[in-house]
Amino acid sequence: MLSDPTPSTHADLWSGLISDDSDAEVGVLGVPFDGAVSFRRGTAFAPAKLRELSCHLASCNEEGRPLNLKVRDYGDISPDLEWSRYFQAVEDRAVEVLRHPLALFLGGDHSVPIPLMRAFNQVVGGPYGIVHFDAHPDLADVYEGHRWSHACTERRALELSGMQPEHLVFIGLRSFMREEWDFLKTHPEITYFTARDCYRQGIEAIAKEVVQTLQDVEAVYFTLDIDGLDPAYAPGTGTPEGGGLSTRDLLELVREVFRGLPVRAMDVVEVAPPLDCADITSVAALKVIYEVLGVIQEKQRYKD
Ligand SMILES: [Mn+2]
C-alpha cells in the first residue's frame, strides 16, 4: 500500500503521475471548505492530507497494473468568508477542470458538490445521472436555516436543468431525517439501495443495477461521501453511522460503475483528517481514487 517514505515533493504528487499537460486524462481540484457541516468539522484539511499521502503510494491499481496516465492538479480554491462568492469561484474553476476526461474533486464537506454539480450541469447539459454513495441521502430542502447545508446537496441537484429524479441513484443509505424519508416516498422514480440492501443482495448485484438504471444517460457524476463506509473503515468523518459498507465493497462498486457508465466527474467528500486514526480514512479514499484512475486509464486507452 504505502511505498518508501521519501519526502513529499511536487514531483511525487499522485505517485509521480502529476503533469502540467492540458491533455491530462484527469484534472484534480481541491475544495477545502467545511462551513456547512452540522456536527464535527475537519474536512477542510482533506485535500492537503490526500495529496501528502499520494506521494507515498505505488502508482498501480490493486491488481498491480501500472498507472501511467497523467494527472493535472489545479490546487485548491482558497477559503472565502462569503459563502456565495466562494461557491461561485468553485463553480467557475470546476468548469475548467471538467475539460479533462475525468474531473476529480476533493472536498470539503458534502455542500461542496452543490457548485460542482452546477458546473457539471453547465458543461454536460443533460440528461446526466448522479450516483451518490453515502449513509445519508442529503435530501433536506433547508437544514439549520441553510439551503446549501451538506444535508441539502441532492435537493439542489434536482433543481438543475439536466437532472431528472429517475437519474439519481443512492447507495449505502442507513440514516434518514423524516423529511428525507417523505421525499423518497413521494418520488419513487429515485433509486436507492440501503446499506442493508448491499449486504443482503451483494455489492456486485447492486453495482449491476446501478449501471442498468443509468444506461441511457450521456454522462454521470459520482459523489462519494466517505461516511457511506462503515466507521471501522472510515472513522475520520463528521457524521459516522454504523452498519456501513467495507472498503472492499466500495472498490468493487466503483470498478463496475466506472467501467459500465460514462462517469465524467467524481468528488470525495467528508474525509476529516483531524478526526481520523492513523490516516485510515484518507488511505481508504486514496485506494478508491487509484482504482478509479486504473479504470479511466483502461477506458482512455481503448476508446478509439
Ligand atoms: Mn453522509
Side-chain angles (χ1 to χ4, degrees):
M1 174 190 66
L2 296 174
S3 59
D4 65 299
T6 45
S8 309
T9 64
H10 181 269
D12 293 329
L13 270 178
W14 304 110
S15 303
L17 300 171
I18 190 82
S19 161
D20 287 333
D21 285 5
S22 56
D23 66 348
E25 288 87 344
V26 180
V28 176
L29 180 66
V31 189
F33 176 83
D34 62 6
V37 304
S38 51
F39 189 24
R40 304 184 301 185
R41 291 192 179 201
T43 65
F45 297 93
K49 173 58 81 178
L50 294 172
R51 287 195 186 93
E52 175 203 324
L53 292 170
S54 81
C55 298
H56 306 294
L57 295 174
S59 60
C60 62
N61 78 351
E62 65 167 338
E63 289 173 306
R65 194 156 300 209
L67 295 175
N68 47 27
L69 78 177
K70 288 178 282 213
V71 175
R72 182 163 180 182
D73 195 326
Y74 290 75
D76 291 344
I77 309 282
S78 316
D80 185 324
L81 285 176
E82 201 194 307
W83 198 345
S84 59
R85 193 169 54 199
Y86 186 67
F87 271 17
Q88 189 61 54
V90 172
E91 182 181 338
D92 293 346
R93 182 54 74 88
V95 165
E96 205 180 319
V97 180
L98 281 161
R99 287 199 303 246
H100 297 275
L102 180 76
L104 171 62
F105 303 114
L106 309 174
D109 67 44
H110 219 154
S111 72
V112 159
I114 293 173
L116 296 175
M117 288 170 178
R118 286 171 68 109
F120 193 75
N121 190 70
Q122 253 189 71
V123 172
V124 172
Y128 54 85
I130 295 177
V131 177
H132 185 129
F133 179 82
D134 200 333
H136 318 90
D138 301 342
L139 279 170
D141 187 25
V142 177
Y143 192 68
E144 293 178 336
H146 291 286
R147 286 167 51 82
W148 289 347
S149 161
H150 71 160
C152 304
T153 315
E154 291 308 341
R155 283 297 283 275
R156 298 294 82 81
L158 287 167
E159 293 165 356
L160 297 169
S161 59
M163 189 56 198
Q164 301 298 327
E166 59 266 35
H167 296 148
L168 175 58
V169 181
F170 291 101
I171 303 139
L173 302 184
R174 56 193 184 279
S175 174
F176 307 77
M177 291 187 284
R178 180 60 195 261
E179 176 191 357
E180 296 176 314
W181 179 250
D182 291 344
F183 191 85
L184 283 170
K185 291 299 129 187
T186 51
H187 294 80
E189 327 79 275
I190 297 174
T191 302
Y192 69 95
F193 302 102
T194 62
R196 185 163 188 249
D197 292 333
C198 298
Y199 171 74
R200 291 173 66 88
Q201 296 175 40
I203 198 66
E204 233 173 295
I206 298 288
K208 285 198 172 83
E209 280 197 61
V210 173
V211 171
Q212 193 59 42
T213 305
L214 297 178
Q215 218 32 249
D216 300 329
V217 300
E218 288 163 19
V220 170
Y221 185 107
F222 194 111
T223 181
L224 197 167
D225 184 330
I226 206 71
D227 72 28
L229 290 180
D230 191 87
Y233 301 94
T237 193
T239 322
E241 303 281 350
L245 279 75
S246 66
T247 309
R248 181 71 261 147
D249 282 343
L250 178 55
L251 286 165
E252 297 300 329
L253 176 74
V254 295
R255 282 176 76 129
E256 285 301 316
V257 169
F258 278 76
R259 277 193 175 147
L261 293 172
V263 186
R264 295 265 319 270
M266 175 190 194
D267 65 53
V268 179
V269 297
E270 300 286 345
V271 172
L275 303 171
D276 209 0
C277 318
D279 298 329
I280 295 172
T281 312
S282 297
V283 168
L286 282 165
K287 196 73 187 164
V288 174
I289 288 170
Y290 275 53
E291 213 49 34
V292 166
L293 295 184
V295 180
I296 296 300
Q297 176 171 299
E298 202 176 284
K299 286 176 88 168
Q300 287 299 309
R301 195 143 304 165
Y302 298 113
K303 72 175 180 187
D304 299 322

